Amino acid sequence: MSPLAIIFLLLLLTISAMAKTRQFEWRVEYMHWSPDGVEGVVMAINGKFPGPTIRARTGDTISVELTNNLLTEGLVIHWHGISQRGTPWADGTASISQCPINPGETFVYRFIVDKSLLMNGRGQFNCSLAAQFSKSPIPQCKLRGDEQYAPHIFHVHPNKTYRLRVASSTALSSLHLAVGGHKMVVVEADGNYIQPFSVENMDIYSGESYSILFTTDQDPSNNYWISISVRGREPKTPQGLTILNYIPNFASKIPNFPPPLPPLWNDYNYSKSFSKKIFGLMGSPKPPTRHDRRLFLLNTQNRIEGYTRWAINNISLVFPTTPYLGSIKYGINNAFDTKSPPNTFSKDYDIMKPPPNPNSTYGNGVYMLKFNTTIDIILQNANILAENVSEIHPWHFHGHSFWVLGYGDGNFTTEDAETTLNLNNPPLRNTVVVFPYGWTALRFSADNPGVWAFHCHIEPHLHMGMGVVFAEGVHLVKNIPNEALTCGLTGKMFAENKHK
């Protein structure tokens, strides 16, 4: 199979009682661009980077005719946060819901939208807007304003309240957001309203999204910094900065004070304090009081044939050449390992130490879930191959939102199951973090027919095996377009049927 490019797309949505069909034609192609001041090759949509924004209302149908004009790479688009109820083949996960769209091919994504998000995509790598406040030798940016990497200025009027939608599509790092001098009220997470709470700054992990409210109640004669900093990994780049421009000040007016300072990159207690403030809004759906099945997923760093890999319960995920959705729907044998992956790991495993046996195995088995049952997942973090190191992992679930029942340090215990879990007002999310040497407990309803990925949203970790696959109610899936399954054994089946 050719190398695969995955485009992570975010939609800006509002609610409407009058649904429409919104049609688009997109061409994905290579283009030279300078998003951070250093020119390189990017993947652009219709000559734009970032790609075009889709503006739609909840309940609308989106139809995107996508043509792959890349020269050597297969392509899919994952519509992050969209549940794809009734259209699991449009989830945009190669080898799970569809075949890659090969160079020169066209595929039509068609689905109903049900959540909200936004992205921008500019920064400065070799200079800083706030160099005069920095002790590092990085130079001051000298910008005209029309450069490809010029910051996206936020223009605001004094004494107004604004809603800022924030999403992280990073491939590796966690981010930290602050609006200098302004308090932020967090009101929504991953498309679900939460109990509002006030912060001066906030962490955002890869795949997460939030809505915040802030009031422009500061000195109107000044402009203010909006800053993004790296968290969870030692920073190797300067802060990402832009300007909150109080009209009628000139947008080029640099604030006369330094940008907000982030906490230390490895201050995980700071990170935990933010995550533990998030609760479901009163009136939000509550989780079922009991689970039908509980899976314990231990993520470890391992080696296979001398290569560093990530594994879940000692199995490093690799994808088959035939999409799971097709092979399960049509009952095709030998498409993947039909033996279920392990439901748990050894109780004797010491999460505080490197794995005693660092060797792991490849696998592509599927957790087959009984339809309309309640499933608990306990994500358990552990030490990596190096001593005294455990990393943050943001986990994203396709096709579902889940209730975050709680977080904890160390091993998840029976006492945690009985006394710690929040069944009263847990937030609904589609992405959640598991902290170093800790656990995170989730609950969801297996009520969306299809085959769905659940994986670490740090891109290299997924490609190195940190993920699992769930299947539920696949027999109920209808109207899968043949174009989604033209590779592997399903493609062979279609070809043989055509010649009968």
Side-chain angles (χ1 to χ4, degrees):
M1 186 170 67
S2 63
L4 178 67
I6 299 177
I7 293 182
F8 170 78
L9 198 72
L10 304 175
L11 305 177
L12 179 62
L13 307 172
T14 54
I15 297 175
S16 171
M18 297 182 65
K20 296 181 179 179
T21 297
R22 303 178 185 271
Q23 296 183 324
F24 305 88
E25 293 182 6
W26 287 359
R27 304 176 313 278
V28 179
E29 54 205 350
Y30 298 119
M31 184 173 67
H32 287 277
W33 201 255
S34 302
D36 60 357
V38 179
E39 185 175 281
V41 176
V42 301
M43 294 180 190
I45 298 178
N46 294 353
K48 294 182 179 180
F49 182 86
T53 298
I54 292 179
R55 297 184 181 273
R57 298 179 182 275
T58 300
D60 285 355
T61 295
I62 299 297
S63 178
V64 176
E65 183 180 293
L66 181 73
T67 299
N68 180 5
N69 286 339
L70 305 178
L71 299 178
T72 60
E73 298 181 84
L75 174 71
V76 293
I77 288 187
H78 170 54
W79 311 87
H80 187 91
I82 302 297
S83 65
Q84 299 291 355
R85 290 188 177 272
T87 53
W89 47 267
D91 188 50
T93 46
S95 298
I96 296 179
S97 63
Q98 72 171 106
C99 301
I101 307 164
N102 291 320
E105 291 182 347
T106 297
F107 181 80
V108 177
Y109 287 100
R110 187 178 177 88
F111 57 89
I112 296 175
V113 294
D114 55 8
K115 302 289 181 182
S116 65
L117 301 175
L118 183 67
M119 68 179 178
N120 296 63
R122 296 185 185 183
Q124 299 79 43
F125 178 72
N126 287 330
C127 66
S128 171
L129 299 177
Q132 69 267 39
F133 301 111
S134 175
K135 296 180 181 179
S136 68
I138 191 167
Q140 180 76 26
C141 291
K142 297 179 180 179
L143 303 174
R144 301 181 306 274
D146 59 351
E147 295 87 352
Q148 293 170 354
Y149 59 95
H152 180 93
I153 303 297
F154 289 81
H155 305 283
V156 295
H157 292 274
N159 300 312
K160 302 287 186 181
T161 297
Y162 290 85
R163 180 177 184 174
L164 180 63
R165 292 182 170 96
V166 184
S168 173
S169 58
T170 60
L172 187 63
S173 298
S174 307
L175 299 178
H176 186 79
L177 170 69
V179 181
H182 296 73
K183 287 191 178 296
M184 302 181 291
V185 179
V186 186
V187 296
E188 173 261 322
D190 293 349
N192 299 289
Y193 287 109
I194 59 175
Q195 293 183 21
F197 63 97
S198 179
V199 293
E200 293 184 353
N201 45 58
M202 59 188 290
D203 285 346
I204 310 169
Y205 302 99
S206 179
E208 288 189 326
S209 67
Y210 294 94
S211 284
I212 62 171
L213 304 179
F214 68 92
T215 301
T216 50
D217 55 3
Q218 300 301 299
D219 183 350
S221 66
N222 291 327
N223 288 338
Y224 297 84
W225 295 111
I226 298 178
S227 67
I228 291 286
S229 307
V230 171
R231 294 270 286 137
R233 293 181 180 273
E234 188 171 3
K236 303 294 184 182
T237 58
Q239 282 180 303
L241 295 172
T242 190
I243 302 293
L244 184 70
N245 169 223
Y246 270 49
I247 296 171
N249 299 330
F250 289 111
S252 59
K253 181 179 181 180
I254 298 295
N256 56 11
F257 40 83
L261 285 176
L264 292 176
W265 67 270
N266 57 354
D267 185 348
Y268 297 121
N269 287 329
Y270 194 97
S271 306
K272 294 174 187 177
S273 68
F274 175 80
S275 294
K276 292 179 180 180
K277 292 177 182 177
I278 302 174
F279 297 98
L281 187 66
M282 184 179 297
S284 299
K286 290 188 176 183
T289 56
R290 292 181 176 84
H291 64 276
D292 298 303
R293 184 178 179 184
R294 177 171 282 165
L295 301 173
F296 295 84
L297 303 182
L298 172 71
N299 62 253
T300 54
Q301 193 181 53
N302 301 79
R303 292 192 183 95
I304 301 178
E305 300 172 353
Y307 295 97
T308 299
R309 299 283 298 184
W310 291 94
I312 301 301
N313 293 351
N314 209 42
I315 295 179
S316 186
L317 180 65
V318 291
F319 293 107
T321 56
T322 304
Y324 292 108
L325 182 62
S327 56
I328 296 173
K329 174 66 176 179
Y330 296 113
I332 298 176
N333 296 322
N334 303 317
F336 62 91
D337 185 358
T338 56
K339 181 181 177 181
S340 177
N343 288 339
T344 189
F345 57 94
S346 172
K347 295 180 180 179
D348 298 327
Y349 190 93
D350 189 346
I351 67 166
M352 304 303 294
K353 297 180 180 179
N357 177 7
N359 297 316
S360 181
T361 58
Y362 294 119
N364 58 18
V366 177
Y367 288 100
M368 299 290 186
L369 307 180
K370 187 177 180 181
F371 189 60
N372 271 336
T373 58
T374 300
I375 310 297
D376 278 7
I377 298 176
I378 310 300
L379 291 170
Q380 180 67 64
N381 211 343
N383 203 98
I384 65 172
L385 289 170
E387 292 187 353
N388 302 315
V389 180
S390 182
E391 298 185 1
I392 278 183
H393 300 287
W395 277 75
H396 172 58
F397 199 0
H398 293 221
H400 297 77
S401 291
F402 48 72
W403 289 276
V404 183
L405 303 185
Y407 306 88
D409 296 323
N411 276 310
F412 182 83
T413 65
T414 302
E415 183 179 355
D416 290 322
E418 295 175 351
T419 63
T420 305
L421 302 186
N422 172 21
L423 299 179
N424 182 42
N425 56 358
L428 271 169
R429 306 293 303 268
N430 61 53
T431 305
V432 71
V433 67
V434 57
F435 292 104
Y437 300 111
W439 56 263
T440 301
L442 317 175
R443 179 166 292 179
F444 72 95
S445 298
D447 59 0
N448 191 6
V451 186
W452 309 104
F454 181 49
H455 61 91
C456 179
H457 208 273
I458 295 175
E459 187 175 2
H461 292 186
L462 169 60
H463 293 305
M464 294 165 69
M466 190 183 288
V468 296
V469 177
F470 295 114
E472 62 202 60
V474 178
H475 63 286
L476 300 174
V477 177
K478 300 178 180 178
N479 302 321
I480 304 175
N482 288 354
E483 294 80 9
L485 303 174
T486 54
C487 58
L489 297 177
T490 45
K492 181 180 178 182
M493 178 189 72
F494 293 149
E496 290 175 349
N497 291 342
K498 185 177 180 180
H499 291 93
K500 285 183 178 179

